[in-house]
Amino acid sequence: MLSRSLTLAVLLAVASPLMAADGDTPLAQERGRSRPLIIIASSSVDSTLTTLKKQLDEPANKEGFAKRSMVLYTIVGLAGQRNGKEMDAQSTMALIRELKLGVLDKEQAQVILVGKDGEKKIDHKGPIDPKEIFSTIDQMPMAEKEAAAPAPVAPAAETKAAAQGGKPGKAGKGAAAAPPAGLDD
């Protein structure tokens, strides 16, 4: 009896992180909602990291970043951040594993853009201009669909009231009140 309980406990301890790893990764949580921009550098004074962060803090680039539903991940050494907030070590390692980076270049930082579909769109070593990143996003099919989203449709009651010159929700003078829809006896 004791050996069965011990065996079950060991199996759960080994299997739990493996099962949780599939859906709990940072990129899996961003999929369909935002476009992660990931900067991986060996030190916090890396020129690519500091320059790109400074450029993204400029008002025009900050607006473009938000407009395109982007989120910034930085990994310096083994410490990760999401939009300037510290990530725990497990989330940082899950992000590194999910990117399948292989051997990292100690000399140059790496910039990776991941689309809403979870696929890498840019994998660049060294400095990169935010305009190039924004241009890549603007050429994506998902960005085109978001830009071509139809305008919200006005409800029928407001449209009728506007045509009669009255206020929305009120029937015009002399108009017969229609029974509420969906009431069956």
Side-chain angles (χ1 to χ4, degrees):
M1 184 70 161
L2 180 62
S3 64
R4 287 184 193 169
S5 298
L6 186 59
T7 304
L8 181 62
V10 169
L11 285 174
L12 285 176
V14 170
S16 294
L18 296 175
M19 290 187 293
D22 290 341
D24 293 345
T25 61
L27 293 182
Q29 293 174 357
E30 302 291 347
R31 192 168 291 128
R33 297 182 325 163
S34 61
R35 295 177 180 93
L37 179 66
I38 304 144
I39 307 169
I40 303 165
S42 57
S43 75
S44 60
V45 294
D46 184 89
S47 63
T48 301
L49 174 68
T50 56
T51 304
L52 189 55
K53 284 179 78 173
K54 189 181 295 183
Q55 289 173 335
L56 291 174
D57 282 339
E58 293 174 4
N61 290 336
K62 197 174 227 178
E63 181 182 328
F65 195 83
K67 177 183 162 191
R68 290 169 179 87
S69 303
M70 295 176 71
V71 63
L72 179 65
Y73 283 94
T74 56
I75 300 173
V76 178
L78 294 177
Q81 291 184 343
R82 180 187 185 273
N83 284 340
K85 295 180 182 174
E86 296 291 325
M87 293 172 42
D88 61 12
Q90 184 178 2
S91 297
T92 303
M93 294 310 291
L95 177 62
I96 292 170
R97 277 192 309 271
E98 191 171 9
L99 290 171
K100 300 174 186 160
L101 298 174
V103 178
L104 294 177
D105 188 358
K106 300 284 183 187
E107 300 298 318
Q108 290 185 325
Q110 189 170 357
V111 180
I112 300 169
L113 174 67
V114 178
K116 284 187 175 182
D117 59 358
E119 299 293 320
K120 287 183 187 179
K121 305 301 181 184
I122 294 176
D123 191 348
H124 184 81
K125 292 187 189 240
I128 188 169
D129 187 25
K131 289 180 174 82
E132 184 179 336
I133 296 168
F134 295 156
S135 173
T136 301
I137 292 172
D138 293 341
Q139 293 172 7
M140 291 180 193
M142 182 70 85
E144 293 170 4
K145 289 177 189 172
E146 290 172 356
V153 178
E158 291 179 13
T159 307
K160 286 181 185 176
Q164 294 174 355
K167 292 182 179 178
K170 291 188 177 180
K173 289 184 181 177
L183 296 178
D184 292 338
D185 286 314

